[in-house]
Amino acid sequence: MSPYRTAPRRTVTAAVGALSLLAALSGCGKGDDAAQSDPRQLTVLSQYLKSTPGGKLFYEQAAAFTKETGIKVRIVEAGEDLDESYETSLAANKEADVVFVNVYDKTLGWTGNGAAVPVDEHLDKWGLRDRIEPRALEEWTDADGKVMGFPFAGFSWPVWYNTALLKKAGVPEVPATTDELIDAAGKLREAGIEPLTVGGNDWSGQKLFFQIAQSYTPPAESRKLYAKGGFCDSEKTMKGIRLFTELRDAGVFVDKAQGFTFDAMQNKYYTGKAAMMSQGSWAFIELPEKVRKQTELAGLPLPEGAEFKQPTSFTGYTSTGFWISPNGDKKQDAVKEFVSWFYQPDVSGKFLAEASVYPSLKLDAEHRKTEDPLLRSAVNDLPERTADAQLPDLHVPAAANTPLVQATSLAYGSGNDAEKICGALDQAYAGAQ
C-alpha cells in the first residue's frame, strides 16, 4: 500500500470499513470506555499497515515508547479509507486519540469542522516547531492559518528510469527534453520495451497529467486552477494539455494506459517490462534488487519554452503526520510524550534508513545517512537537479477530487483532444463551487 493515500473514494468499501473500525474502536465492554478516558492509554488510528516496512517500524517504536514511558498505545489500522472511518467514529464519540494520516481530501477540513485540534500552541509549548522543516509546517497549514497536525513523512516524487532498458534500446542517457522523450519512446518500442508506465485510471495518472499540463504555466496560476477550475480559459495550461496529447499520441505511455491502476503501473516497472515510471520515494524499499541497480532518478523532461528551468519532480511533506482528535486533546500530557517520541533524530533517522520515509524533521548529516543509493539521491542531490512542480492535492476542493481523477483518466484515451479534456476538467468543479 502506498502511504501517499490519494485514491478515489470507494463508497461501499468505505462504509464497510467505517463500520468495522467503529466496532474496533468501540470495543464491547466497560473496560474499553475506561481506556478511552484513561490519560495513560492512547488509541492511535494509523494509515500505516504492520505488513509494510513503515508500519512494522511504527509498531516497534510504539512498543519502545510504552516500555520507556509506561503509556499504553493501541494501534488500529484503517488503510485507504481512514478519513471516512475516523469521521464515523467521531460522530459516535468513539474516535481515536491520535490519527496518523496524510493531508488530502477530507482531512483538509478537519481543523475547520472540529474533527481535529489545531496544533499551533502545541508546536511551541512542546518545543517542536523549530525542529520541523518550515515548508512542512506551511503545507500543513489550513485556509484559516492554523497548523492542522504534526508533519512526519514527506516525499520525493521523481521519474524513475531503468538505464539498462534505455541502453538496450539505444538510448544512452536519460531524456531531458520532451523531444528526447518521444525519441526514446520510439526506440524502446522498436526494441519491444514499453516506455513510461502510468496508472491512467487513478490518482497516479492524475498527478503525471497535471505535471505535464503545467509545463508552460506559472505556479501561482496552476494553484488557482487547481482550486477553482477554468483550465479551458488558461492559454498556457491549454498549451500544456496539448503537449500531453502529443506525448500520448507519440506512444510515450504504456499501451492501454487509460485502464491502468497504480498497482499495474508498478508491476510493469518492477518486472522490467517498462523503462520509465513517475513514482514516490516511499516505494524505493519495494523495488526488486535487480531493477534497483538499473534505476536512475531524474525529473520529467521539459518542452522548449517551458516555465521551469530544470526537469520537474514533485516534493512535499504531506504524506503522513499526527493529528490530535477532540478526545486526544483531553490527554495532552500523554499525546505530547507520544508525538515527541517520533521527533527524536534517532527515531526519524530509522524511518529514513529502514522504511524510505522522507523526513519532515530537520536531520543532520549523520541521521540522513542511508545505504539505499536511490533514497540517498532523492534526499541529498535530486533537489538540486530538478524544479518543483505544483502538486494539486493541497488546492483541489474535496468535492472535485474524484471527478477530477475521472477527467484526467479521459485524457489517456486516444482520440480525446485538448478541448474535450479541459472541458471534463472544468466540469469536475461543477459540484464544488
Side-chain angles (χ1 to χ4, degrees):
M1 184 197 77
S2 162
Y4 193 82
R5 178 190 56 89
T6 61
R9 187 66 50 213
R10 298 176 298 279
T11 307
V12 174
T13 304
V16 173
L19 292 174
S20 298
L21 177 64
L22 181 57
L25 290 172
S26 298
C28 53
K30 293 182 179 179
D32 297 285
D33 293 332
Q36 190 178 21
S37 59
D38 188 336
R40 300 291 290 178
Q41 292 190 45
L42 295 176
T43 299
V44 180
L45 182 60
S46 175
Q47 179 179 322
Y48 279 10
L49 305 181
K50 194 174 185 179
S51 58
T52 65
K56 179 177 179 289
L57 190 54
F58 190 67
Y59 274 82
E60 290 174 356
Q61 288 301 316
F65 167 77
T66 296
K67 184 177 180 180
E68 177 74 20
T69 65
I71 299 172
K72 296 180 180 179
V73 178
R74 179 188 176 209
I75 299 173
V76 178
E77 297 180 356
E80 294 284 346
D81 297 306
L82 184 147
D83 49 6
E84 293 275 2
S85 302
Y86 173 69
E87 291 180 5
T88 299
S89 66
L90 182 69
N93 295 316
K94 297 291 184 181
E95 80 273 11
D97 303 303
V98 176
V99 186
F100 192 55
V101 70
N102 67 338
V103 179
Y104 177 73
D105 202 348
K106 289 192 173 185
T107 65
L108 284 164
W110 277 2
T111 46
N113 63 24
V117 177
V119 302
D120 301 78
E121 290 186 10
H122 300 325
L123 281 165
D124 295 319
K125 289 182 179 178
W126 299 355
L128 294 178
R129 185 183 294 275
D130 292 339
R131 295 165 62 186
I132 297 173
E133 294 286 355
R135 179 178 167 183
L137 294 174
E138 179 183 342
E139 291 181 3
W140 277 70
T141 300
D142 68 15
D144 296 322
K146 301 173 184 175
V147 181
M148 299 177 283
F150 300 91
F152 182 72
F155 57 86
S156 170
W157 197 333
V159 179
W160 303 14
Y161 296 89
N162 186 319
T163 55
L165 294 182
L166 289 175
K167 289 175 182 176
K168 182 179 178 180
V171 182
E173 296 181 348
V174 167
T177 69
T178 51
D179 286 342
E180 291 174 0
L181 178 60
I182 290 172
D183 181 66
K187 290 178 178 178
L188 286 163
R189 288 188 175 278
E190 288 175 5
I193 302 167
E194 295 203 62
L196 198 158
T197 181
V198 58
N201 195 39
D202 63 19
W203 58 270
S204 57
Q206 181 214 53
K207 302 302 180 288
L208 182 61
F209 169 84
F210 279 127
Q211 190 173 358
I212 295 169
Q214 66 181 277
S215 294
Y216 303 98
T217 310
E221 184 176 346
S222 290
R223 291 192 294 269
K224 182 179 179 181
L225 292 172
Y226 294 152
K228 306 222 179 249
F231 296 92
C232 291
D233 295 328
S234 170
E235 181 179 345
K236 292 181 177 179
T237 302
M238 284 299 294
K239 188 176 180 181
I241 295 175
R242 292 189 183 96
L243 172 66
F244 177 89
T245 62
E246 179 185 350
L247 296 176
R248 179 198 66 197
D249 296 342
V252 167
F253 310 128
V254 293
D255 294 337
K256 301 179 181 179
Q258 187 178 21
F260 263 50
T261 62
F262 173 80
D263 290 335
M265 173 192 79
Q266 283 199 141
N267 184 61
K268 278 281 187 183
Y269 190 86
Y270 287 2
T271 56
K273 295 177 181 177
M276 299 172 281
M277 173 176 69
S278 173
Q279 172 62 300
S281 53
W282 59 78
F284 292 154
I285 201 164
E286 303 170 358
L287 189 59
E289 188 61 26
K290 178 182 177 182
V291 181
R292 174 189 299 273
K293 291 179 180 179
Q294 300 169 343
T295 296
E296 180 179 329
L297 306 179
L300 182 73
L302 291 174
E304 184 178 353
E307 169 70 20
F308 303 92
K309 303 304 181 186
Q310 295 174 297
T312 62
S313 66
F314 291 127
T315 57
Y317 293 91
T318 56
S319 278
T320 325
F322 298 94
W323 306 68
I324 302 178
S325 75
N327 197 61
D329 199 40
K330 300 172 185 175
K331 305 179 181 182
Q332 286 190 24
D333 290 343
V335 171
K336 172 187 175 182
E337 290 193 61
F338 179 74
V339 170
S340 297
W341 178 272
F342 287 87
Y343 287 89
Q344 299 177 89
D346 285 348
V347 175
S348 185
K350 269 183 173 290
F351 275 89
L352 173 65
E354 299 177 19
S356 297
V357 173
Y358 196 97
S360 293
L361 184 71
K362 297 175 184 175
L363 293 178
D364 58 25
E366 181 65 27
H367 290 98
R368 293 177 80 88
K369 285 183 178 179
T370 171
E371 298 298 319
D372 184 346
L374 293 180
L375 188 58
R376 190 162 57 243
S377 174
V379 172
N380 297 319
D381 68 85
L382 192 67
E384 302 300 319
R385 297 189 286 111
T386 61
D388 271 352
Q390 289 293 304
L391 194 69
D393 297 8
L394 292 172
H395 311 287
V396 175
N401 266 311
T402 297
L404 204 55
V405 169
Q406 294 167 344
T408 54
S409 178
L410 177 76
Y412 287 92
S414 61
N416 295 320
D417 62 17
E419 285 68 28
K420 185 172 182 179
I421 294 167
C422 78
L425 294 175
D426 287 340
Q427 183 59 35
Y429 288 80
Q433 302 303 326

